[in-house]
Amino acid sequence: MVRLLLSCASWRWAVGQWAVGQWAVGQWAVGRCVLCVLVLGTVPIASSAQRFLADDPLWEDPDRLDMPFPERRATNSRIGPLEFLRRSFAVPGRYTTPAQNKNTVGGVPNSSWYTNRHYRFGSTRAALRTGPNEEPAPSLQAQWRVTGVVSRGDLPRLVIRDATDRRFQLLFDAPAHPEMATGAAMISSRLLHAVGYNVPQHWLRRIQPRRLAATPQDGPDSSTIDSVLARAAQRSDGTYRTLVTRIPHVARRLGPFRFQETRPDDANDVFPHQHRRELRGLRVVAAWIHHSKLRPRHTLDVGVRKDGRRFVRHYLRDLHRTLGSAGARPKSAWSGHEHVLEVGRVVERIGTLGLSGGEWADEASLGAPAVGRFGAESFAPRQWRPEWPNSAFQHARPADAFWAAKKICAFSRADLQAIVATAQYSSPAVRRHMVQALMDRRDAIGTAYLGWGGGLGRFQVERGRLTFADLWARYGGAPDTLRRTVTWRVFDNQADTLSPVLHRTATAHEAVPIVDYSAPYVRATLRTSTAGATHVFLRWDGTEGTRRRRVVGVERQGGKRAASAP
Amino acid sequence: MDCLCVRRIALISVVIWGGVLLRAGGTCARAQAQQGTAAADSARPAAASTSRAARWRAKRRAKVKTISPPQPSVWERAASAVSQIGGAVVPHRLILRLPQLDISGFHPVFGGLGGNAGATGGILYEPPFWQGPRRLAEVEGLGSIHGYYGLGARVGGRLGSYVGFAYVRYRHRPRDAFYGLGPNSEADTKAGFRLDQAVAGGLLGRRFGPDVLLGAHVSYQQNRYGPGHGEQPDIPELFGGGVPGVRSNFDYVLAGAFFEVDSRDASYDRTFGHRFAPTEPRLRGVSLDASQGFYFATEVTHNQAVASPGQSFTRWTFDVREFLPIREDLLHGVSIRQFASLTRTGGSHVPFYRLQSIGGDRSLRGYASNRFRDRNVVLANAEVRCQVWHWLDMAVFGDAGHVFQDVRTLGQAPRVGYGVGFRVKNDGKTLGRADIAHGAEGWRLHLDLGSLF
């Protein structure tokens, strides 16, 4: 009985107010009773049917529960040939499952995978420059003891311990391409961190060879270190430019993560990776920084102990393979344009003796050794693809791409200049090229993806108005989004149903007054002619006297453009 | 009033019970509709929670009861094992580097005997104490399924601009083919023979800049001819006893000089000048790794017969190759090779197995291996190459060659062939190749490891 009364109390406005009002004045009639019967019959009891729960929108994913560490996975673990073929011949747009770890406003809660940073809170320039570095750089108080040589990859790498006995990894540029790999890693680490991903700490240092001390008893001897340095780019003053990396709080290295399914021995890992929005959206971010080499081997799961809890944190690493760098060499011309196996293109080239099927071969590049192959002239975000087909990328939907694109477009020119400066390129021309290329690629991504689902973001309630940002218009979109209609309805959270339209208006501004209804939930639909629609759900939150409307849900519907998979 | 109360109570009862019944029905329908979702949500108790975080937390607590270490698949285990194996492909050979053997300097090797040897394998030993960019040492033992076998050793070093290189090699070749002498030999008249050949000597050279090498070599070569194994008739049986080298064996002292200009962009190591030692074939084929540059080599070698001075001869070879890129990134290019080998005998006869031959995967690809033999050879090859896949190059090629005893027969029409080839590449190096060629005697398929020089 109590539940029934509570249900009546929260009933939707259009019918409920009428029925409850009639109930109160005692105007009883059989027909109205029948109506009440029908109404009550559709009232759900369990909260599981609610679209919005008390803590929505959720911004902290409780995925750092104390759990046993999983088994270590081999770095070179590979997918099987059938899986490779399945991915290589996947039909674009075949997957329609929406992302599963998103919150009710379409965002990704903070988790062991992702942390909301620049887009949501606006990082300062200093924070952008600092990036993932949360610990002090390696100490210069004493020589760095070289404890190992890393054979993985084609660039010289060493493992060292500093005076505080912390472990770091050093990576050097190839002689033919000084500053290329280290510069790419510095820029991409800052960008990925600001977007929200976990990346190792990155520092750039210039060292003399005498900074490195051999430890023959348990590490490489001097001749081994010399042979490593012989493969590294040396500056004219005899110093070496080295990238110093370190992952903080490592209790155990667990090997790479995969871009599909979950890790079966990690209980915190419950959302299939191909359905994680931040991994789907990584496709767009990877296109921006041309991380076409991305494969599981360039990721790392790390066991972390924090506040007495054990959990796994997921990192992207080997960022020296981003931008124009493939490591010791520039990226191949085809990289970013084709998967490793595209039979149709191969047949086309065989049939024409290579005269067709390789348009990317004509692309011009800056030609600077520090840049490698990175530019924006022929960058087409939707056509960009990683060398190895990636399951999470293939599952990406327009909503995932929109999510990533708005994060990328939040970087201003000044932001990018601050980040590129951390690469310490010796050539101003290279510095300018990198900033401009990132800007141009950013704009191309905005144009490609922000026109979907209304193209709006940053919804919030300010002084009785629903405010938002017209992202599509800001990043090159046609001004048709400015001619938007706004309709208001009452939303019944219990039954997941809507009232008829209560109010309709049109606006060209990035703010609309909120209709004054007492119902707990209202929904505003902002619709444009071609860019689709955005449904924004508002709820009364707070206690009596401090109650205010709050955005609890954002849903987007594609428009005439950008309806296909990214 | 009472009547009105009764009516209201009755109506309220109807409303309440009707609502409960309908709700029950609705709940069942929703439960069926949401079955998929409910199944996915393994934490049933959490479904009733009013907190999103609690629901997600409950998913994890449900999973912790079922976690198990992942079991690598057969493919993963196989891939892991294979990934431990290193390897290098050099012309005609695949050298594996197994972690278990690598530290001791022993490596399995496949290929390396060429000709009709068939599948070949063996062991290569590289003493770890004499390896590096300035040092070379290796001992090799090979055997093939067709009964071929061989032993060899090489040791060399580089000091400044000088290179030094010593070699010894023995080959047992029981099934080599002989089709007769001259350009008009018939493919149907095929005889078999056995040749045991041992070579030992040394080579010294000096580099002039990165592209120029000048040097000389001295060697001793022992040749033992015999009837071939297998079903092919012997040479005397098919061609009579007049073929030079059939009735008696000849040993030679070889002394030669060479000059080379090499500006190709081929990535393999050319440090020690192996290719000018008599252990290596002079007709080496068109490099598959180079995409641009120029190559010119000339050599003169005097072959002094030890026991029969009348069998001595001198041979000049000229090898010119051009690699012309068309489009840089797809490696579209043309490669052209012109080769000539001229032998001056002074009226003596050259044993047939020391005559220059053409035919096979390094020269006339539309013909059998060593199909044409004579004192002198001219050969031209041209290829148009393109990259059709990241690890696959394709070439359309044409070959023309001619053997002759003296210049008076040079005007005869050459033998020609054409075809298409596919080359598996990695990091600019050729790992293997397949050439399908057509000549006047039909189609030929050539499979080989590594690049040609």
Side-chain angles (χ1 to χ4, degrees):
Chain A
M1 187 64 179
V2 172
R3 291 169 74 179
L4 280 171
L5 293 175
L6 286 172
S7 295
C8 286
S10 62
W11 190 234
R12 63 181 179 171
W13 188 87
V15 177
Q17 186 165 346
W18 176 84
V20 172
Q22 295 303 307
W23 187 302
V25 297
Q27 299 298 315
W28 299 97
V30 173
R32 289 169 184 170
C33 289
V34 170
L35 179 61
C36 285
V37 167
L38 294 172
V39 164
L40 289 171
T42 60
V43 173
I45 295 176
S47 58
S48 60
Q50 296 178 8
R51 178 178 296 196
F52 300 107
L53 302 181
D55 56 347
D56 283 330
L58 185 69
W59 285 109
E60 285 293 331
D61 183 348
D63 75 335
R64 281 147 288 179
L65 306 179
D66 183 32
M67 296 288 179
F69 284 145
E71 294 284 325
R72 178 180 167 78
R73 179 183 282 157
T75 302
N76 59 2
S77 65
R78 293 170 166 86
I79 60 171
L82 292 180
E83 174 63 17
F84 170 72
L85 291 175
R86 192 181 63 78
R87 291 186 196 175
S88 296
F89 293 98
V91 179
R94 168 186 168 189
Y95 303 105
T96 56
T97 308
Q100 292 181 1
N101 70 321
K102 66 184 192 305
N103 60 22
T104 49
V105 294
V108 175
N110 295 341
S111 67
S112 60
W113 297 80
Y114 183 82
T115 306
N116 288 279
R117 294 191 180 103
H118 187 53
Y119 175 78
R120 189 148 183 250
F121 302 110
S123 305
T124 64
R125 300 278 144 65
L128 290 174
R129 278 191 292 269
T130 303
N133 300 355
E134 58 183 75
E135 297 178 323
S139 168
L140 301 175
Q141 295 297 316
Q143 282 185 303
W144 294 345
R145 288 176 291 118
V146 181
T147 58
V149 176
V150 181
S151 57
R152 197 168 59 89
D154 51 0
L155 285 174
R157 298 196 214 191
L158 295 171
V159 179
I160 60 136
R161 286 189 181 275
D162 71 348
T164 62
D165 204 37
R166 289 179 301 154
R167 180 182 186 274
F168 296 87
Q169 194 172 110
L170 307 185
L171 180 139
F172 301 89
D173 287 305
H177 293 278
E179 302 182 353
M180 183 178 72
T182 53
M186 288 298 290
I187 293 172
S188 295
S189 65
R190 268 64 184 169
L191 291 175
L192 286 168
H193 180 264
V195 170
Y197 295 94
N198 296 326
V199 295
Q201 302 172 98
H202 285 66
W203 297 272
L204 205 52
R205 290 288 180 271
R206 286 182 195 173
I207 61 167
Q208 296 278 358
R210 63 175 179 272
R211 161 72 47 199
L212 304 173
T215 52
Q217 64 278 11
D218 58 352
D221 56 21
S222 298
S223 64
T224 305
I225 296 172
D226 290 343
S227 68
V228 171
L229 292 179
R231 296 193 294 122
Q234 189 176 22
R235 300 171 61 85
S236 56
D237 60 359
T239 60
Y240 291 88
R241 173 183 155 117
T242 182
L243 183 75
V244 186
T245 59
R246 171 179 160 80
I247 297 177
H249 316 303
V250 177
R252 190 180 297 178
R253 289 172 183 268
L254 303 169
F257 66 77
R258 294 179 177 173
F259 289 89
Q260 62 174 4
E261 302 308 330
T262 61
R263 196 163 187 148
D265 51 351
D266 179 11
N268 276 317
D269 190 10
V270 295
F271 296 111
H273 298 174
Q274 72 272 25
H275 297 320
R276 297 195 70 95
R277 172 152 285 178
E278 68 274 24
L279 292 186
R280 291 179 172 192
L282 182 59
R283 183 207 175 281
V284 181
V285 181
W288 185 34
I289 60 173
H290 198 21
H291 198 358
S292 52
K293 295 275 180 189
L294 181 62
R295 298 173 69 180
R297 64 178 59 175
H298 303 129
T299 68
L300 184 67
D301 279 351
V302 168
V304 174
R305 289 182 201 274
K306 194 172 183 184
D307 303 330
R309 288 174 289 120
R310 294 163 300 167
F311 58 90
V312 179
R313 191 171 280 156
H314 314 273
Y315 283 87
L316 301 173
R317 63 170 180 173
D318 292 342
L319 304 181
H320 61 278
R321 290 172 168 268
T322 59
L323 304 182
S325 168
R329 293 173 301 174
K331 282 201 171 75
S332 304
W334 63 271
S335 188
H337 295 271
E338 294 179 9
H339 291 316
V340 289
L341 176 61
E342 293 199 9
V343 175
R345 303 289 277 177
V346 174
V347 171
E348 184 180 353
R349 288 193 281 267
I350 289 175
T352 61
L353 200 58
L355 295 175
S356 175
E359 294 75 19
W360 35 261
D362 298 327
E363 285 180 17
S365 61
L366 182 65
V371 173
R373 196 183 300 274
F374 182 67
E377 283 184 8
S378 61
F379 175 59
R382 289 177 178 277
Q383 275 71 50
W384 184 94
R385 61 195 74 184
E387 292 181 4
W388 294 86
N390 180 305
S391 185
F393 291 6
Q394 291 179 332
H395 280 79
R397 303 294 304 143
D400 306 308
F402 180 88
W403 172 86
K406 68 182 184 183
K407 307 265 176 188
I408 291 167
C409 289
F411 289 87
S412 67
R413 173 182 282 274
D415 293 338
L416 296 175
Q417 285 172 332
I419 287 173
V420 169
T422 63
Q424 299 176 28
Y425 290 118
S426 55
S427 162
V430 170
R431 211 158 44 232
R432 282 194 300 272
H433 173 81
M434 286 299 190
V435 171
Q436 195 58 49
L438 287 169
M439 293 267 300
D440 293 346
R441 292 172 83 100
R442 178 203 68 179
D443 293 346
I445 286 170
T447 305
Y449 297 120
L450 287 180
W452 180 83
L456 308 178
R458 297 190 182 281
F459 289 96
Q460 55 184 327
V461 175
E462 281 183 358
R463 293 191 292 274
R465 298 188 310 163
L466 175 64
T467 65
F468 51 86
D470 191 337
L471 304 173
W472 172 239
R474 284 186 190 181
Y475 296 102
D480 64 313
T481 55
L482 298 177
R483 294 191 300 274
R484 63 181 74 88
T485 60
V486 185
T487 54
W488 291 90
R489 300 165 188 253
V490 166
F491 173 69
D492 184 343
N493 188 42
Q494 300 293 332
D496 199 11
T497 55
L498 289 165
S499 75
V501 173
L502 306 174
H503 185 69
R504 188 190 306 270
T505 185
T507 181
H509 300 292
E510 295 185 0
V512 289
I514 299 174
V515 292
D516 184 20
Y517 294 117
S518 59
Y521 290 87
V522 292
R523 193 189 84 172
T525 297
L526 299 94
R527 187 179 300 279
T528 65
S529 57
T530 60
T534 313
H535 305 295
V536 185
F537 297 83
L538 304 173
R539 177 173 66 191
W540 284 117
D541 268 358
T543 56
E544 197 65 39
T546 61
R547 288 203 322 162
R548 58 188 293 270
R549 286 282 186 191
R550 182 167 165 245
V551 176
V552 293
V554 176
E555 292 178 359
R556 294 179 172 87
Q557 288 180 342
K560 292 175 184 173
R561 71 170 71 87
S564 60
Chain B
M1 184 66 185
D2 287 344
C3 181
L4 189 61
C5 285
V6 169
R7 280 182 62 197
R8 285 185 175 178
I9 291 169
L11 283 169
I12 289 170
S13 300
V14 168
V15 167
I16 291 171
W17 285 108
V20 168
L21 289 172
L22 276 175
R23 191 180 59 205
T27 303
C28 290
R30 271 194 304 277
Q32 287 174 351
Q34 295 177 350
Q35 195 170 10
T37 310
D41 190 351
S42 57
R44 195 66 188 167
S49 171
T50 57
S51 156
R52 185 81 56 193
R55 290 185 182 185
W56 288 15
R57 204 176 286 119
K59 282 173 181 272
R60 276 128 191 165
R61 293 198 172 120
K63 183 179 178 182
V64 78
K65 298 170 186 165
T66 62
I67 60 172
S68 59
Q71 297 298 321
S73 64
V74 173
W75 164 254
E76 286 176 318
R77 281 198 291 267
S80 177
V82 170
S83 68
Q84 303 296 317
I85 302 172
V89 176
V90 297
H92 316 298
R93 292 193 302 175
L94 168 65
I95 301 170
L96 296 183
R97 304 196 183 280
L98 304 176
Q100 298 83 352
L101 294 174
D102 199 41
I103 193 167
S104 59
F106 286 94
H107 312 289
V109 59
F110 298 93
L113 288 177
N116 299 321
T120 303
I123 292 290
L124 174 72
Y125 173 63
E126 294 177 324
F129 59 86
W130 195 258
Q131 298 297 318
R134 293 176 174 274
R135 297 171 177 177
L136 168 73
E138 60 185 35
V139 179
E140 183 181 63
L142 299 170
S144 85
I145 59 172
H146 289 165
Y148 285 55
Y149 58 83
L151 296 168
R154 300 190 292 187
V155 59
R158 197 175 72 186
L159 186 63
S161 60
Y162 291 93
V163 296
F165 176 52
Y167 43 85
V168 57
R169 192 193 74 172
Y170 171 74
R171 287 282 188 272
H172 173 71
R173 309 183 62 84
R175 293 169 186 260
D176 278 1
F178 178 69
Y179 297 87
L181 299 176
N184 299 316
S185 59
E186 298 290 334
D188 297 336
T189 55
K190 178 182 176 184
F193 69 97
R194 188 196 78 234
L195 182 67
D196 294 278
Q197 187 181 69
V199 181
L203 176 150
L204 191 65
R206 184 181 178 190
R207 291 208 158 275
F208 297 90
D211 297 338
V212 178
L213 178 66
L214 178 67
H217 58 87
V218 178
S219 309
Y220 183 85
Q221 184 185 67
Q222 186 184 62
N223 301 291
R224 295 293 177 265
Y225 164 83
H229 298 178
E231 298 176 353
Q232 298 296 336
D234 292 342
I235 293 175
E237 185 182 330
L238 206 57
F239 298 96
V243 177
V246 171
R247 294 193 179 282
S248 54
N249 292 310
F250 301 101
D251 297 344
Y252 288 94
V253 173
L254 289 75
F258 56 86
F259 173 74
E260 178 189 62
V261 179
D262 188 356
S263 66
R264 295 173 299 171
D265 60 349
S267 55
Y268 39 77
D269 185 18
R270 301 179 291 243
T271 303
F272 299 101
H274 308 165
R275 54 206 170 277
F276 292 107
T279 53
E280 303 298 320
R282 284 295 165 274
L283 197 46
R284 291 182 286 262
V286 185
S287 170
L288 305 180
D289 290 346
S291 60
Q292 58 183 339
F294 172 80
Y295 180 83
F296 170 75
T298 182
E299 181 184 5
V300 57
T301 302
H302 180 68
N303 296 258
Q304 179 65 42
V306 176
S308 316
Q311 304 298 323
S312 300
F313 62 95
T314 303
R315 178 170 291 159
W316 286 267
T317 60
F318 303 90
D319 191 351
V320 184
R321 309 177 206 179
E322 300 91 19
F323 300 87
L324 309 170
I326 301 173
R327 288 170 64 183
E328 186 179 349
D329 282 316
L330 273 183
L331 295 178
H332 283 172
V334 178
S335 61
I336 305 166
R337 188 263 296 272
Q338 304 91 42
F339 177 85
S341 175
L342 306 174
T343 303
R344 178 177 175 276
T345 62
S348 61
H349 294 286
V350 178
F352 76 93
Y353 46 80
R354 293 300 317 280
L355 294 171
Q356 185 66 59
S357 66
I358 56 173
D361 60 352
R362 297 171 190 170
S363 50
L364 274 177
R365 285 165 279 195
Y367 295 85
S369 182
N370 299 317
R371 174 66 184 82
F372 303 103
R373 294 175 191 261
D374 216 323
R375 292 183 181 179
N376 306 303
V377 164
V378 290
L379 176 71
N381 308 92
E383 287 192 357
V384 178
R385 297 172 178 172
C386 70
Q387 177 186 336
V388 295
W389 190 36
H390 325 306
W391 294 306
L392 190 68
D393 275 10
M394 188 180 88
V396 176
F397 58 80
D399 306 322
H402 184 52
V403 298
F404 55 99
Q405 188 163 25
D406 57 57
V407 292
R408 284 171 294 185
T409 60
L410 186 58
Q412 194 173 339
R415 297 283 181 166
V416 296
Y418 57 87
V420 60
F422 294 92
R423 291 81 193 262
V424 180
K425 308 197 85 166
N426 186 34
D427 285 341
K429 295 180 181 175
T430 303
L431 305 181
R433 66 175 178 132
D435 287 347
I436 306 160
H438 184 264
E441 295 168 0
W443 290 93
R444 291 272 167 186
L445 172 65
H446 302 284
L447 302 173
D448 202 357
L449 291 167
S451 175
L452 302 169
F453 174 70

